Structures are given as structure tokens and as C-alpha cells.
Amino acid sequence: MKRLPHALAIACIAVFYLANATLLHAADRPNIILLLADDLGYGDLSCFGSPAVKTPHLDRLASEGLKCDRFYAGSAVCSPTRASVLTGRYPLRFGITKHFNDRNGWLPESATTVAELLSDAGYNTAHVGKWHLGGLHVDETGKRLTNQPGPRQHGFDFYQTQIEQQPLRGKMGRDRTLFRKGGTVLLRNDQRINEDDPYYPKHFTDANGDFAVEMIEKLSNEDAPFFINMWWLVPHKPYEPAPEPHWSGTAADGISDDQHRFRSMVQHMDAKVGEILQKLDELKIADNTLVLFTSDNGAAFEGFIHDLKGGKTDLHDGGIRVPMIVRWPAAIPPGQTSQAFGHTNDLLPSFCDAAGVDVPGALSLDGLSLLPHWMGGTPPSDEERGTVFWQLDLYKSLQRHTPKPKPFATEVVRRGNWKLLAFKGKPVELFDVDTDPNEKHNVLVEHPDLVASLSTELNQWLNEPRTTK
């Protein structure tokens, strides 16, 4: 945690929050809202140093909670990270090694998700926004096809998302209408909405934010707490101009049209986050609602990653290090910054910890609960954390305006400050990311014993059993 003066006073505050949270769990479990951006870079929020986009509502979330500077997505592309978020396990455990193609590919129904665990413990659950984990195809009547599991098969009582079906989705992407006509392809609770639905004419970002607010209002009237899984499409391509006032509000001299579109999209999302926070305030449930914001991978073309190397589709830190903010006023001290390592695998155990839900021992999670650290305690040690892994099929092109760094890598193994990149199990780069966060100095040849040890662990992990059904 960030060092502050008067250590004794801070320690007393931490003890207060820990004790308060313990009492709170016994009487009133928190609501949980996960806000997941899409292709948002490590530096794309103003509270993370963006020179371009103003994000006052997410900045407010950070000032009232904890900002995590060293948080990592489970992959450098979409679908694998989303599997990590929901299951607390490496995507490779389910044979998910790249983004799904909107035809074949889905998270196996046998996977245990955080929504299922919370639902079993009495939570109401809702998914809002992008899904990209399979099962969002419809027949000619607009009814969801059941040959692939969808949100309801993974624990969500309610959902509203977009149909993810080719050639429809691809055409809307090429035409740059996926956001502006997003309401025309909404799928809600296994049925495509019709033209008379009030959401039909909505911009997709508005549809997502508005439905999240609607779900908060609806579920807050229930006796049970709620879990809302809000997955934005922003700022993923296609870059489209956001509606006013966000388009005019992000105009600037000397920027490209795509950069202007990108900025307007991020500002639009931030405004909808503001509406979500405002609704929590209006309903007087903000104090006991855990809100967490992060991104599914690092920045694509127009995003900002400071001096980090790589970007989307690449396993250097520009592709996997992402912003993360968590606020729970009843339990997490405000205005803190953490330099501790965190991972999307940690979300399931952290949410379950906050909800007082015991994770079945047979589940063999790959993440750890960060809740004690968020509440003021020490983070998990390197020994507790153990070795961390990433795997991603080779994407030869970097989704940035620069070539992809070479040598190419398809795996990462990280132990403490050491990060080894490998190509199909063969080591290609080694970095000390504490002293070299931009991964400029490959020290592979200087540490043969460490490389051998990490390589052994990596190959053991690559050969572990996988569940694909």
C-alpha cells in the first residue's frame, strides 16, 4: 500500500475497517458490481495519467476507493480474460487460447463461475453488455439457440447483451454501426428485442449503462444482495463518434478522426459510470456496494499505455497490464494506491470473500482473494502467490500503430519480479519487471538457472489437464 504519515493512526483505521467489515458480512452482505472495459489501456483514465481523456466519474471512484497500479488481465485478448474473470482460473484450463470467432467457441458449461457461486449463496445476478464467451446466436424468430451455453447457463438470472453472430456482427463492425445501432441487435433473456422495445433505438453504450441502472433499481428492492456483471464494449473497434455532448467535448487540434472517436467513446462510458454511481447514491446503497472497474486486456490502436511495451495481442506488459479501481465504502479505506500484483483470476475469490461465500476446495482456483489487502492488510507474498502463467496463440500482428515486438511469444511465466516469455515453451526473453518495467533489457543469458527453473514450471503447466466440455 502507499506509504502515509502517522503509521499508527493508519493501522488503527485499517483495524476499524476490518472489524467493521466483519460485522457487516454477518448482517448485510455487499452488492457487487463489476465494470469491465474492452481494450482500455493502462493509461487511458485520467487517474492513471491519461493526457487525452477526462474521466471524472472513474476518477471519483478511485479517490473514494483503492487504485491498483499493478493489475493484470488473464490474457492480451478478449475471450480468454473473460473466462479468467468468471472462473478464477487460467483460460488454458478450458482450452481457451485465443478470442472466439462468433461461430464456434464457448466457455464450457461445466465451468464453475462467480455468478453461479453467488447465486447459490442467495445473490440475484445479472449480466449486462458484451459477452463474447459463446452462446449468443438466434434463430429466425430471434430466440436464442441452445447448442452453446450462454449467460443463463453460467449463472445469470437476467441478461441483456448483443447478438454475437456472423455475418451480422462482422457487417456492423465493418460499417461502423455496432455502437450507434447496437440497440437493434440486443438479446435480452434469450429473446431478441423488437422494434417497439424502448432500448431498440439506443446507442449500445447507453443501452448498457441504462440497463445496469434499471437492474440496480429493480434488484435493490429485493431482500437478497445483487451481483451485476457490466461488460462495456468501449473502447473496442469500430471507433464511432459518441453522441453529444461527448463528441464536441473531446474535440482537439492535431488529433486523427479515430483518436477523436476513441476519446469520445471513453468519455461516454465514464458518463454512464457516473449514472451508475449516482443511482447507488440515490438508493442509499453505495456504502455497502463493492464496485470494481478494470479492462479485459491492454490497449489497441488508439489507447495509451505510457512507456509499456507491446499492446493488445502481445504478452509484454502493454498487452496485459490494465487499470483497476475498487471501491467499497463500508470496508475499503478511501484514497489509497496499491503497488501489489493482482490478476483477473483474483476476482472470483475476492468477490466470494466479500460475500462470505466459501469456494469449494475441489475448484482448484488459480487466483487469491485480495480483499484483506484492499481493506488495508498486506498483499499476498510472492510465496503465497506462487508462479503465474499466461498463454496465448500467436497473433503475428500487434493491434497498434507499430509492428509487434520480436521475438514473438506465446507464453509467460512470472515469479515475483521475474518475467520469462517463451515461444511454444522455449524461452526467448527474461525481464526483471521491477527494475525494467518497460521490458527493454533482455537478461535471458545472464540467468541460466532461473530460466531453466521457470521453463520447467511452464512446461509442467502447459501439460496439465484441460476441461473443454
Side-chain angles (χ1 to χ4, degrees):
M1 302 289 288
K2 182 171 65 177
R3 290 187 178 180
L4 296 171
H6 311 300
L8 181 58
I10 295 300
C12 291
I13 291 172
V15 169
F16 167 79
Y17 273 100
L18 286 165
N20 186 46
T22 301
L23 293 172
L24 185 65
H25 291 171
D28 191 10
R29 295 175 295 169
N31 305 306
I32 300 171
I33 300 175
L34 171 61
L35 304 172
L36 185 73
D38 195 336
D39 292 0
L40 191 79
Y42 172 70
D44 276 328
L45 304 180
S46 44
C47 56
F48 277 82
S50 172
V53 185
K54 302 299 182 186
T55 52
H57 302 290
L58 285 161
D59 296 351
R60 172 199 166 191
L61 197 71
S63 69
E64 294 175 351
L66 173 70
K67 185 164 74 83
C68 299
D69 274 352
R70 297 189 180 184
F71 194 79
Y72 286 80
S75 180
V77 296
C78 170
S79 302
T81 294
R82 293 166 194 273
S84 163
V85 167
L86 286 189
T87 68
R89 307 187 73 200
Y90 294 118
L92 188 64
R93 305 282 192 206
F94 307 103
I96 302 174
T97 63
K98 58 185 178 181
H99 75 282
F100 292 147
N101 61 9
D102 294 330
R103 291 185 176 88
N104 297 307
W106 57 89
L107 179 65
E109 191 167 352
S110 62
T112 299
T113 70
V114 63
E116 290 172 324
L117 293 172
L118 293 176
S119 180
D120 289 345
Y123 272 68
N124 289 316
T125 59
H127 173 80
V128 186
K130 181 176 177 177
W131 178 245
H132 219 180
L133 284 174
L136 298 185
H137 301 169
V138 298
D139 64 18
E140 62 278 0
T141 71
K143 185 177 181 180
R144 192 186 74 85
L145 298 173
T146 58
N147 59 330
Q148 300 176 6
R152 281 187 160 169
Q153 287 68 48
H154 287 301
F156 292 101
D157 304 318
F158 309 96
Y159 76 87
Q160 179 177 279
T161 182
Q162 275 186 330
I163 295 167
E164 294 176 354
Q165 191 164 342
Q166 295 297 345
L168 175 65
R169 186 172 171 87
K171 184 178 188 307
M172 293 183 75
R174 290 188 298 274
D175 294 345
R176 294 197 178 200
T177 60
L178 198 58
F179 286 91
R180 287 172 286 179
K181 294 185 178 180
T184 66
V185 290
L186 287 181
L187 183 66
R188 184 187 304 134
N189 300 334
D190 289 353
Q191 182 64 48
R192 183 174 184 170
I193 70 169
N194 60 39
E195 295 181 17
D196 297 327
D197 192 287
Y199 280 80
Y200 189 86
K202 289 192 178 191
H203 187 286
F204 190 45
T205 302
D206 288 322
N208 291 336
D210 294 350
F211 194 71
V213 168
E214 185 179 320
M215 284 289 98
I216 290 169
E217 197 148 29
K218 172 184 171 63
L219 298 178
S220 66
N221 289 319
E222 305 288 334
D223 291 334
F226 60 76
F227 169 53
I228 295 177
N229 195 50
M230 167 72 258
W231 288 359
W232 309 99
L233 183 58
V234 177
H236 193 288
K237 291 183 72 177
Y239 297 128
E240 299 179 32
E244 296 293 356
H246 311 296
W247 180 248
S248 297
T250 50
D253 293 335
I255 63 173
S256 68
D257 183 55
D258 271 353
Q259 177 62 205
H260 186 187
R261 292 173 180 227
F262 172 89
R263 294 183 186 190
S264 74
M265 292 163 69
V266 174
Q267 188 183 90
H268 188 192
M269 176 184 67
D270 180 74
K272 303 311 284 191
V273 171
E275 292 177 16
I276 290 169
L277 300 181
Q278 181 181 3
K279 180 55 64 175
L280 297 176
D281 291 338
E282 287 176 4
L283 297 173
K284 302 187 186 310
I285 59 173
D287 280 354
N288 197 30
T289 299
L290 189 161
V291 181
L292 188 145
F293 178 92
T294 189
S295 179
D296 66 342
N297 47 250
F301 298 96
E302 298 297 328
F304 180 58
I305 56 173
H306 293 282
D307 294 326
L308 297 179
K309 186 176 183 178
K312 182 179 179 180
T313 72
D314 182 67
L315 292 173
H316 294 95
D317 268 22
I320 55 176
R321 188 172 170 182
V322 291
M324 197 280 263
I325 303 164
V326 59
R327 186 192 77 172
W328 180 12
I332 296 175
Q336 301 296 296
T337 299
S338 172
Q339 299 296 330
F341 177 90
H343 189 285
T344 49
N345 283 344
D346 300 331
L347 298 185
L348 181 151
S350 300
F351 292 164
C352 287
D353 198 2
V357 174
D358 291 329
V359 177
L363 203 52
S364 300
L365 295 182
D366 294 309
L368 301 172
S369 174
L370 297 177
L371 183 66
H373 174 52
W374 296 345
M375 294 195 303
T378 57
S381 66
D382 290 345
E383 289 72 23
E384 291 174 286
R385 169 70 65 181
T387 307
V388 184
F389 303 95
W390 286 262
Q391 185 280 337
L392 180 64
D393 285 1
L394 179 62
Y395 289 70
K396 291 186 177 181
S397 297
L398 182 69
Q399 290 194 19
R400 300 283 284 165
H401 294 298
T402 54
K404 187 167 186 176
K406 291 184 178 180
F408 293 151
T410 50
E411 299 93 28
V412 168
V413 52
R414 177 167 171 164
R415 184 192 299 158
N417 59 306
W418 292 107
K419 178 180 176 181
L420 179 76
L421 291 96
F423 181 73
K424 297 182 179 179
K426 181 180 179 181
V428 293
E429 291 181 306
L430 177 69
F431 301 102
D432 179 344
V433 290
D434 277 1
T435 61
D436 182 22
N438 303 325
E439 298 170 281
K440 293 181 178 179
H441 307 290
N442 181 8
V443 294
L444 188 77
V445 297
E446 287 96 319
H447 300 276
D449 292 342
L450 176 62
V451 170
S453 174
L454 292 172
S455 299
T456 298
E457 281 197 80
L458 172 62
N459 283 285
Q460 288 174 344
W461 177 74
L462 289 172
N463 289 314
E464 287 178 4
R466 303 176 191 178
T467 301
T468 57
K469 294 183 180 179

